[in-house]
């Protein structure tokens, strides 16, 4: 292989570094400088570790390039400098992490006025992050000595790279005790409170977004760490601060007590939604509770709910009067006002609050009629599927959750009355909001519009699922009796419409929504109607079907792989394989089912035609009917191929008929042919073949033909050669029964290609010995022992 040869050429960097006056920029201009650095080229690393080179590298990533430099190469050296410093070379990390002068130059980048150059900020953050991971003790000690570090981070929180640096300090510091010390230090510096202050209308959107994202990630990272480090006695101080009631109240005051700002409102709601998470969702819009299924009580910090409950009226008012939005022109009409990001996130917040299943929260939502307002939005904005899925989640929670537990006078949960009470949310939804009637009216209105040539409304798919959720929970949900009672108390007309709707339009829609898989069986949405495929019959030949069934019933034992298909050793050089598994392979019997009368008639007609030709040839020639011994030439003397034109081996047609191997198949190479063991071929000649043999085969004489036809069997022994392996086969032809039987005379290695090669050759020679029509079959019979 190519790596056996010394084709490595000396890098041009080595030659360049031999110059006494080589500069850093000259080295950085080399194309392979990064590869050589990561490969820890000693000359290059020693050069980069020079004090002046390290100082220049840090300068490149912390200072703005000259304005007169061409734009496309303006950040070439800063980018290469960052890659060199973060190539994770131990000597570079040690020099950079232990040199206070270099660290102060690096830290000086934070002391620039905002906004920071985002590209240089990413270089700075990347270098400092790898130092935090590789030299945590030195870097943490250095940063704690800088009294303005937290202030500067909060000051530049609008730059995403700085936000990433803050989060890196929470995730990449080990050991655990050092991380706990960092958390305590950041909490003492009031980093949570400072981030909360960034989320208010007086700040720009970048600060809103990054501060909100930082707080959300702190919540998630802290909770993940708590789950991963079980038994840790030290709580996470940052998470504890975030979950305090006063912290949440400050967040809400920032958006409600000051000028309304959509960016700030959405950012605060994102933080609240993260606080309400018990575990991170798998994807956007994912629910832990599928519609129509029961859900356990959702555990949320009580202090968070207590801080949110007084502000529910403010969130409700946002649904009625969102921040001013300009009208939106769409392909189907004008939205004035559109739903907007504010109201959509308020609905998401309501869904999370309902999931907490808290009695005080549920009661406040009912008193405000927040659910009624949300339903109004659902039916008004018929094409906003982001809104529709959130409303579906809300209704699914209400239908599937058991009644919320209440608090007894002593402040404890009154568990004894939990199952005796009815859900106040269900009562409000069906009675005050007229849930059933609104579904029926919307469905009827949609059908009317479609009948007039209009389009199907965008919420109909969600409305179908909501209706199915009602039906499911009415039958199997925890609130089934209450739902059934409410439906039975509906006015007679509405009750009849609902029952007709369930059995009619809803049932038809569900049938249309089922998937018809390859025109066989319908896959129903209900798991009750399962199809048993075990009794499915296939119209196949019974023997093939039985063979396939037997194959399927095989046990997956250790021998299964060896007995199925080919082994890896079959494709290797057999001389190198010393551990081939052996198995016993049987005699192989080929039964030829042919039309006897038709073939005999064809054979006789062909013989007469051949004899007539010979009689017309004249009497001066040698008598072709004289019996003579037929000997098979050795392999080396055999004709190399049927298509050869070599003059030395070309004879007349009669000599070819005598010399040609009766088992030779045109088109096969010499490696694929059988060698004939002449020692065991006495008495065999082409005349000894079956009456079904090819007309091209020679016959001895009519008398000899009758004598040979009377004999029962003739046999020949042949040897199959494949590379270095050899196998001896015995061929026995029975003219009366029209069978040809092949037997092995010694052990075949199981799984070896030679065995299959022999069977293939056997089939080929049987086909050449008998004139088998295309519509006939060769049946392989398995003998009593050593079967293939």
């Amino acid at each position: 292989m190519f790596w056996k040869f010394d084709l490595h050429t000396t890098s041009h960097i080595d030659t360049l570094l031999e110059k006494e006056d080589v500069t850093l920029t000259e080295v950085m201009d080399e194309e392979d400088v990064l590869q050589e650095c990561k490969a820890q080229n000693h000359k290059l690393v020693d050069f980069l570790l020079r004090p002046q080179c390290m100082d220049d590298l840090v300068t490149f990533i912390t200072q703005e390039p000259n304005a007169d430099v061409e734009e496309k190469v303006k950040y070439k050296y800063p980018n290469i400098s960052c890659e060199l410093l973060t190539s994770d070379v131990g000597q570079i990390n040690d020099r950079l992490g232990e040199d206070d002068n270099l660290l102060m130059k690096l830290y000086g980048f934070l002391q620039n006025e905002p906004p920071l150059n985002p590209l240089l900020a990413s270089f700075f953050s990347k270098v400092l992050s790898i130092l935090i991971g590789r030299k945590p003790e030195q870097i943490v000690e250095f940063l704690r000595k800088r009294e303005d570090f937290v202030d500067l981070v909060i000051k530049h929180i609008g730059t995403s790279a700085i936000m990433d640096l803050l989060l890196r300090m929470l995730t990449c510091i080990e050991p655990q005790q050092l991380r706990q010390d960092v958390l305590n230090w950041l909490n003492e510096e009031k980093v949570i409170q400072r981030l909360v202050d960034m989320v208010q209308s007086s700040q720009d959107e970048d600060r809103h977004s990054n501060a909100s994202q930082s707080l959300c990630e702190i919540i998630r990272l802290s909770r993940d760490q708590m789950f991963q480090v079980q038994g840790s006695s030290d709580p996470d101080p940052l998470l504890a601060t975030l979950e305090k009631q006063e912290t949440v109240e400050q967040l809400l005051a920032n958006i409600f007590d000051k000028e309304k700002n959509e960016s700030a409102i959405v950012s605060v709601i994102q933080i609240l939604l993260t606080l309400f998470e018990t575990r991170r969702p798998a994807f956007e819009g994912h629910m832990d509770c599928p519609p129509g299924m029961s859900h356990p009580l959702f555990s949320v910090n009580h202090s968070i709910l207590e801080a949110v409950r007084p502000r529910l009226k403010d969130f409700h008012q946002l649904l009625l009067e969102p921040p001013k939005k300009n009208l939106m022109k769409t392909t189907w009409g004008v939205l004035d006002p559109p739903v907007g990001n504010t109201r959509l996130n308020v609905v998401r917040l309501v869904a999370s609050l309902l999931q907490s299943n808290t009695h005080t929260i549920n009661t406040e939502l009912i008193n405000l009629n927040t659910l009624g307002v949300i339903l109004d939005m659902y039916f008004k904005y018929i094409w906003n599927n982001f809104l529709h899925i959130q409303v579906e989640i809300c209704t699914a929670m209400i239908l599937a959750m058991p009644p919320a537990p209440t608090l007894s006078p002593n402040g404890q949960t009154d568990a004894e009355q939990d199952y005796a009470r009815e859900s106040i949310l269900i009562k409000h939804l069906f009675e005050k909001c007229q849930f059933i009637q609104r579904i029926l009216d919307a469905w009827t209105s949609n059908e009317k519009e479609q009948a007039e040539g209009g389009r199907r409304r965008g919420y109909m798919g969600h409305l179908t699922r909501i209706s199915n959720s009602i039906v499911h929970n009415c039958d199997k949900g925890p609130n089934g009796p209450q739902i059934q009672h409410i439906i039975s108390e509906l006015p007679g007309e509405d009750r009849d419409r609902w029952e007709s709707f369930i059995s009619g339009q809803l049932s038809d829609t569900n049938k249309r929504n089922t998937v018809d898989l390859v025109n066989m069986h319908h896959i129903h949405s209900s798991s009750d109607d399962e199809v048993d495929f075990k009794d499915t019959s296939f119209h196949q030949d019974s023997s093939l079907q039985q063979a396939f069934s037997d194959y399927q019933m095989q046990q997956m034992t250790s021998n299964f792989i060896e007995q199925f298909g080919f082994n890896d050793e079959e494709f290797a050089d057999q001389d190198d394989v010393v551990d081939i598994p052996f198995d016993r392979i049987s005699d192989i019997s080929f039964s030829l089912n042919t039309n006897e009368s038709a073939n005999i008639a064809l054979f006789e007609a062909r013989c007469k035609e051949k004899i007539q030709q010979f009689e017309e040839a004249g009497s001066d020639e040698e008598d072709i009917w004289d019996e003579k011994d037929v000997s098979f030439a050795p392999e080396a003397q055999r004709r190399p191929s049927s298509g050869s034109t070599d003059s030395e081996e070309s004879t007349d047609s009669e000599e070819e008929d005598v010399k040609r191997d009766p088992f030779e198949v045109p088109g096969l190479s010499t490696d694929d042919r059988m060698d004939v063991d002449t020692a065991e071929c006495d008495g065999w000649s082409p005349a000894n073949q079956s009456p079904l043999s090819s007309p091209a085969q020679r016959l001895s004489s009519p008398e000899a033909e009758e004598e040979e036809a009377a004999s029962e069997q003739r046999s020949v022994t042949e040897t199959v050669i494949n590379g270095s392996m050899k196998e001896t086969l015995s061929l026995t032809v029975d003219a009366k029964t029209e069978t040809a039987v092949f037997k092995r005379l010694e052990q075949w290695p199981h799984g070896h290609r030679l065995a299959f090669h022999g069977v293939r050759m056997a089939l080929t020679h049987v086909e050449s010995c008998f004139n088998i029509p295309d519509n006939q079959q060769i049946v392989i019979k398995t003998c009593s022992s050593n079967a293939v």
Side-chain angles (χ1 to χ4, degrees):
M1 304 302 289
F2 70 90
W3 52 79
K4 293 182 179 180
F5 304 96
D6 187 12
L7 300 180
H8 177 71
T9 58
T10 304
S11 172
H12 184 61
I13 289 182
D14 292 339
T15 305
L16 182 64
L17 292 174
E18 293 177 359
K19 295 171 54 179
E20 296 182 358
D21 57 346
V22 63
T23 63
L24 178 61
T25 55
E26 288 179 333
V27 174
M28 294 169 70
D29 285 334
E30 293 296 319
E31 293 182 354
D32 57 347
V33 62
L34 296 180
Q35 290 82 351
E36 291 295 323
C37 182
K38 292 179 181 180
Q40 300 191 20
N41 183 309
H42 296 297
K43 290 185 179 180
L44 177 60
V45 172
D46 292 341
F47 174 79
L48 294 177
L49 290 176
R50 295 177 182 178
Q52 185 59 45
C53 290
M54 291 296 296
D55 188 84
D56 291 343
L57 289 173
V58 175
T59 301
F60 274 127
I61 66 173
T62 56
Q63 291 186 3
E64 289 281 350
N66 294 330
D68 57 351
V69 179
E70 188 179 357
E71 189 66 29
K72 65 179 181 180
V73 296
K74 189 174 184 179
Y75 294 98
K76 172 185 176 182
Y77 294 132
N79 179 52
I80 297 177
S81 299
C82 175
E83 294 300 322
L84 290 173
L85 292 174
T86 59
S87 57
D88 208 12
V89 176
Q91 299 95 311
I92 296 178
N93 293 337
D94 293 341
R95 179 64 58 84
L96 188 58
E98 297 172 359
D99 191 324
D100 287 345
N101 294 328
L102 293 176
L103 289 177
M104 281 302 302
K105 178 177 278 256
L106 188 65
Y107 181 78
F109 178 76
L110 280 178
Q111 298 174 334
N112 294 325
E113 289 298 319
L116 298 175
N117 184 310
L119 190 56
L120 293 181
S122 67
F123 297 154
F124 162 80
S125 177
K126 185 175 182 180
V127 172
L128 197 56
S129 295
I130 196 169
L131 290 178
I132 290 174
R134 296 293 181 265
K135 314 289 289 185
E137 293 85 358
Q138 294 91 327
I139 300 303
V140 169
E141 181 182 1
F142 171 82
L143 294 178
R144 293 189 68 170
K145 293 179 179 179
R146 314 276 84 78
E147 296 181 356
D148 59 347
F149 173 71
V150 177
D151 293 334
L152 293 175
V153 169
I154 300 300
K155 180 180 180 179
H156 297 298
I157 198 65
T159 303
S160 298
I162 305 304
M163 177 194 70
D164 294 338
L165 176 63
L166 175 62
L167 297 177
R168 182 76 62 174
M169 294 186 64
L170 304 178
T171 57
C172 295
I173 293 183
E174 293 180 357
Q176 178 62 26
Q177 185 57 48
L178 181 60
R179 179 180 182 275
Q180 188 67 32
D181 294 340
V182 171
L183 294 178
N184 293 331
W185 165 52
L186 294 177
N187 190 54
E188 293 171 359
E189 294 290 334
K190 299 187 181 299
V191 68
I192 298 298
Q193 291 85 340
R194 294 183 183 186
L195 288 173
V196 167
D197 290 338
M198 289 291 104
V199 190
Q200 53 182 314
S201 58
S202 60
Q203 301 292 340
D204 57 56
E205 292 188 8
D206 289 338
R207 284 187 170 86
H208 294 163
S209 177
N210 288 346
S212 173
Q213 186 175 349
S214 299
L215 291 172
C216 291
E217 289 301 319
I218 289 173
I219 296 169
R220 292 184 176 122
L221 292 172
S222 299
R223 288 177 175 175
D224 290 346
Q225 188 71 16
M226 290 175 59
F227 292 138
Q228 294 173 5
V229 184
Q230 298 292 339
S232 177
S233 57
D234 297 327
D236 191 311
L238 298 182
L239 179 61
T241 301
L242 259 171
E243 291 181 337
K244 287 182 178 180
Q245 184 172 341
E246 54 266 29
T247 304
V248 180
E249 290 175 346
Q250 183 61 44
L251 272 173
L252 296 172
N254 288 345
I255 59 174
F256 289 128
D257 295 347
K258 300 177 182 179
E259 181 184 359
K260 292 181 180 178
N261 181 281
E262 183 173 70
S263 174
I265 293 173
V266 171
S267 297
V268 169
I269 293 177
Q270 292 295 329
I271 299 171
L272 294 176
L273 290 174
T274 307
L275 286 171
F276 290 151
E277 290 178 3
T278 54
R279 52 186 175 274
R280 190 177 306 186
F283 53 85
E284 184 67 20
H286 169 71
M287 295 188 310
D288 292 333
C289 171
M293 301 297 291
S294 60
H295 193 285
L297 292 182
F298 192 85
S299 176
V300 178
N301 194 309
H302 184 69
S303 61
I304 301 173
L305 295 172
E306 284 301 309
V308 172
R309 184 178 60 82
R311 293 291 185 172
L312 287 178
K313 63 181 185 299
D314 298 313
F315 285 113
H316 179 82
Q317 193 62 29
L318 285 176
L319 294 175
L320 300 176
E321 298 178 4
K324 184 62 177 178
K325 301 286 291 185
N326 296 327
L327 60 86
M328 179 181 295
K329 294 181 179 181
T330 66
T331 56
W332 63 271
V334 177
L335 294 176
D336 188 17
V339 174
N341 204 13
T342 297
R343 291 200 287 180
L344 180 60
N345 278 275
V346 171
V347 177
R348 294 181 62 192
L349 178 62
V350 172
S352 292
L353 290 171
L354 289 173
Q355 196 174 17
S356 68
N357 200 21
T358 305
H359 180 72
T360 56
I361 297 293
N362 295 346
T363 302
E364 190 67 21
L365 292 173
I366 291 173
N367 294 337
L368 295 170
N369 193 29
T370 303
L371 296 177
V373 174
I374 291 176
L375 285 178
D376 291 339
M377 294 173 57
Y378 178 90
F379 291 110
K380 178 180 178 181
Y381 297 97
I382 62 177
W383 301 109
N384 194 318
N385 288 149
F386 297 104
L387 173 64
H388 301 158
I389 185 61
Q390 295 303 321
V391 176
E392 181 188 343
I393 293 173
C394 291
T395 57
M397 291 296 172
I398 294 172
L399 293 170
M401 289 188 307
T406 59
L407 295 178
S408 59
N410 60 2
Q412 300 297 323
T413 301
D414 192 356
E416 296 180 357
Q417 297 181 3
D418 286 350
Y419 298 100
R421 290 170 46 82
E422 292 184 344
S423 171
I424 58 176
L425 289 173
I426 289 180
K427 183 177 180 180
H428 174 74
L429 183 64
F430 283 89
E431 294 182 358
K432 180 66 180 296
C433 299
Q434 296 186 332
F435 197 31
I436 295 291
Q437 291 87 338
R438 301 196 70 172
I439 292 175
L440 296 174
D441 292 343
W443 200 285
T444 303
S445 178
N446 175 76
E447 289 184 338
K448 182 179 178 180
E449 288 186 9
Q450 285 190 278
E452 296 174 353
R455 299 177 61 183
R456 186 172 184 261
R457 294 180 178 179
Y459 56 63
M460 291 304 297
H462 294 283
L463 197 63
T464 301
R465 293 170 56 171
I466 291 174
S467 302
N468 286 327
S469 180
I470 295 175
V471 174
H472 174 83
N473 284 282
C474 183
D475 295 336
K476 301 179 181 180
N479 303 301
Q482 182 183 2
I483 298 175
Q484 294 174 8
H485 177 72
I486 292 176
I487 293 177
S488 66
E489 294 295 324
L490 291 174
E493 181 181 356
D494 292 338
R495 185 173 62 253
D496 294 340
R497 287 177 61 199
W498 175 251
E499 294 176 355
S500 176
F501 167 73
I502 294 175
S503 59
Q505 296 101 314
L506 183 60
S507 177
D508 294 340
T509 301
N510 289 334
K511 290 179 181 179
R512 288 195 301 269
N513 291 339
T514 55
V515 179
D516 190 6
L517 184 61
V518 295
N519 296 325
M520 289 181 62
H521 298 281
H522 290 285
I523 300 179
H524 300 282
S525 57
S526 172
S527 61
D528 298 334
D529 303 328
E530 295 184 355
V531 181
D532 187 3
F533 293 97
K534 296 180 180 179
D535 298 330
T536 303
S537 61
F538 299 91
H539 300 287
Q540 297 179 347
D541 182 77
S542 58
S543 60
L544 294 178
Q545 183 177 352
Q546 182 61 40
F548 183 70
S549 300
D550 294 342
Y551 162 73
Q552 288 183 311
M553 295 301 294
Q554 292 184 79
Q555 296 183 356
M556 291 295 292
T557 62
S558 59
N559 297 325
F560 179 79
I561 303 300
E562 295 182 359
Q563 297 173 358
F564 182 78
F566 296 100
N567 295 333
D568 293 338
E569 291 84 356
E570 298 169 17
F571 302 97
D573 189 351
Q574 300 302 325
D575 293 335
D576 299 334
V577 180
V578 297
D579 57 347
I580 301 177
F582 285 85
D583 198 358
R584 305 179 68 85
I585 298 180
S586 74
D587 301 336
I588 308 170
S589 176
F590 299 94
S591 178
L592 308 178
N593 299 325
T594 62
N595 190 333
E596 180 177 358
S597 59
N599 286 323
I600 291 177
L602 177 64
F603 173 74
E604 292 178 352
R606 184 59 179 163
C607 287
K608 291 180 180 180
E609 179 182 356
K610 194 72 174 178
I611 294 172
Q612 181 66 25
Q613 294 175 358
F614 292 147
E615 290 177 352
E616 295 176 354
S619 59
D620 296 334
E621 298 179 3
E622 181 182 2
D623 187 357
I624 62 175
W625 295 109
D626 288 346
E627 289 189 51
K628 58 185 68 178
D629 294 335
V630 180
S631 61
F632 298 128
E635 182 68 24
Q637 301 176 4
R638 203 172 294 163
R639 203 172 74 151
S641 66
S642 60
S644 174
T645 57
D646 192 338
S647 60
E648 294 182 0
E649 297 189 11
S650 299
T651 62
D652 60 9
S653 61
E654 293 183 4
E655 292 176 352
E656 289 183 5
D657 289 339
V658 173
K659 294 181 179 181
R660 178 176 299 171
D661 189 344
F663 292 96
E664 183 180 44
V665 180
L668 290 178
S669 64
T670 56
D671 292 339
D672 291 335
R673 283 180 281 182
M674 291 185 178
D675 290 337
V676 179
D677 187 351
T678 57
E680 300 185 24
C681 290
D682 296 340
W684 173 263
S685 70
N688 295 339
Q689 299 181 24
S690 167
L692 297 182
S693 42
S694 171
Q697 301 290 335
R698 280 202 177 268
L699 305 175
S700 56
S701 67
E703 295 79 4
E705 176 186 348
E706 294 177 358
E707 179 181 355
E708 295 301 334
S711 62
E712 294 184 357
Q713 292 183 344
R714 289 292 183 269
S715 63
V716 64
T717 301
E718 297 199 2
T719 302
V720 180
I721 296 178
N722 185 26
S724 61
M725 304 299 294
K726 180 184 295 186
E727 182 60 39
T728 303
L729 300 176
S730 172
L731 168 64
T732 303
V733 179
D734 192 327
K736 288 187 176 181
T737 61
E738 300 179 6
T739 59
V741 179
F742 282 87
K743 293 184 179 180
R744 64 166 178 78
L745 300 184
E746 57 189 54
Q747 186 78 4
W748 275 355
H750 169 67
H752 195 276
R753 186 182 296 276
L754 182 63
F756 298 98
H757 180 79
V759 174
R760 179 174 65 83
M761 293 294 296
L763 288 172
T764 303
H765 294 319
V766 168
E767 187 176 4
S768 67
C769 292
F770 298 96
N771 183 22
I772 302 174
D774 293 339
N775 59 350
Q776 298 297 328
Q777 297 180 343
I778 297 178
V779 180
I780 302 177
K781 291 185 178 180
T782 304
C783 296
S784 59
S785 63
N786 302 332
V788 175

